[in-house]
Amino acid sequence: MQIGRNEPCPCGSGKKYKRCCMSMAEQQHFEVMDDLSHIMACHPDMSIDELNIVAQHKVNKLNNRPMEHFFGLTPAQMTNWLYAPLDTLTGVSINTPDDVTASPVMRCLEIILEEAMAQGGSFKATAKGNLPTKLVARASALRLELLINKSSTNISISEYAGSNEDKFNALHYSRVLAQLSGIIYLRAGRFHVKKRHKNALIKKGFKRSFCPC
């Protein structure tokens, strides 16, 4: 059953649904539908084609309205920045630093790879497919070095809220990025470093034990 935007929120807060748990997408959907309903009531003779033009105008207006959730950017700008080819981006300057080794993601990746190389190129994952708590504890000990803040609310990539990987965003994102980029992979309950990356790490001086596990 669909909840009306002006009905009490089902979470029990006492607020109207539109002022509480309604998502941003739902709010915008209701906003457009309310406007169209009002226009149809005032102009009952409008054709479908005319109504579609009005609806498109409303949607375009929403897509170009600055959003607080996007730090003042519009949905159109966010879509452009996220999905447009790099050479067509407007209003964006991308600068790659000469040294990225000090970034939290790179340091976390280094910790993951060191753990794997110390165990012959792989290490056991948790039952959920996350990094083991021992590795998380090692990374958490470097929070000050990584500029990671301990927090229990409003978690972002630069915050840490527990001893498990899924509560340590910088480490979690680093592991996911390492998998997506093909540096490591999960098989039979263990994280493995791909062979070509393993060989490159050995050349760079990473020590590798020959654990039979």
Side-chain angles (χ1 to χ4, degrees), residues 8 38 41 65 107 116 121 129 173 191 193 196:
H38 178 71
R65 184 172 69 186
R107 286 292 290 115
Y173 296 159
F191 284 109
V193 181
R196 64 189 183 93

Side-chain angles (χ1 to χ4, degrees), residues 69-155:
H69 294 76
F70 297 154
F71 300 97
L73 300 175
T74 68
Q77 286 176 314
M78 289 297 294
T79 299
N80 178 45
W81 290 14
L82 288 171
Y83 300 110
L86 293 179
D87 59 355
T88 65
L89 291 176
T90 57
V92 181
S93 176
I94 299 177
N95 297 306
T96 304
D98 295 330
D99 183 13
V100 297
T101 58
S103 74
V105 169
M106 294 302 293
R107 286 292 290 115
C108 289
L109 176 60
E110 184 178 24
I111 292 169
I112 293 171
L113 294 176
E114 285 176 350
E115 180 70 20
M117 296 302 286
Q119 298 188 48
S122 72
F123 57 85
K124 189 175 181 180
T126 68
K128 288 178 61 178
N130 286 340
L131 299 172
T133 55
K134 182 179 73 171
L135 191 152
V136 177
R138 181 184 167 197
S140 68
L142 300 176
R143 280 191 293 110
L144 292 178
E145 176 189 336
L146 300 175
L147 300 179
I148 303 297
N149 301 317
K150 187 169 184 179
S151 175
S152 58
T153 59
N154 301 321
I155 302 303

Side-chain angles (χ1 to χ4, degrees), residues 5-209:
R5 61 182 302 183
N6 291 311
E7 293 179 12
C9 188
C11 75
S13 66
K15 299 179 182 179
K16 291 182 179 181
Y17 179 54
K18 67 181 180 182
R19 301 293 184 190
C20 193
C21 293
M22 179 189 288
S23 69
M24 182 61 63
E26 284 182 291
Q27 289 180 28
Q28 293 182 349
H29 172 77
F30 275 114
E31 184 176 334
V32 172
M33 295 306 296
D34 281 354
D35 287 347
L36 292 179
S37 296
H38 178 71
I39 291 170
M40 290 173 65
C42 295
H43 305 279
D45 297 329
M46 286 186 71
S47 67
I48 292 296
D49 289 339
E50 290 173 327
L51 193 59
N52 280 334
I53 292 173
V54 174
Q56 188 60 54
H57 174 74
K58 295 289 183 183
V59 171
N60 289 340
K61 187 175 179 180
L62 283 174
N63 285 338
N64 288 284
R65 184 172 69 186
M67 304 290 290
E68 182 181 353
H69 294 76
F70 297 154
F71 300 97
L73 300 175
T74 68
Q77 286 176 314
M78 289 297 294
T79 299
N80 178 45
W81 290 14
L82 288 171
Y83 300 110
L86 293 179
D87 59 355
T88 65
L89 291 176
T90 57
V92 181
S93 176
I94 299 177
N95 297 306
T96 304
D98 295 330
D99 183 13
V100 297
T101 58
S103 74
V105 169
M106 294 302 293
R107 286 292 290 115
C108 289
L109 176 60
E110 184 178 24
I111 292 169
I112 293 171
L113 294 176
E114 285 176 350
E115 180 70 20
M117 296 302 286
Q119 298 188 48
S122 72
F123 57 85
K124 189 175 181 180
T126 68
K128 288 178 61 178
N130 286 340
L131 299 172
T133 55
K134 182 179 73 171
L135 191 152
V136 177
R138 181 184 167 197
S140 68
L142 300 176
R143 280 191 293 110
L144 292 178
E145 176 189 336
L146 300 175
L147 300 179
I148 303 297
N149 301 317
K150 187 169 184 179
S151 175
S152 58
T153 59
N154 301 321
I155 302 303
S156 73
I157 192 173
S158 65
E159 293 173 325
Y160 166 75
S163 59
N164 298 323
E165 179 200 325
D166 52 8
K167 297 289 183 65
F168 194 164
N169 282 2
L171 186 62
H172 174 67
Y173 296 159
S174 300
R175 190 266 292 175
V176 172
L177 287 171
Q179 283 186 264
L180 291 175
S181 60
I183 298 174
I184 63 173
Y185 61 94
L186 181 62
R187 186 180 66 191
R190 296 183 70 86
F191 284 109
H192 301 260
V193 181
K194 281 200 172 181
K195 186 175 181 180
R196 64 189 183 93
H197 296 296
K198 191 187 301 182
N199 292 337
L201 289 170
I202 293 173
K203 288 181 180 179
K204 285 183 175 294
F206 274 72
K207 293 182 179 180
R208 175 189 172 192
S209 71

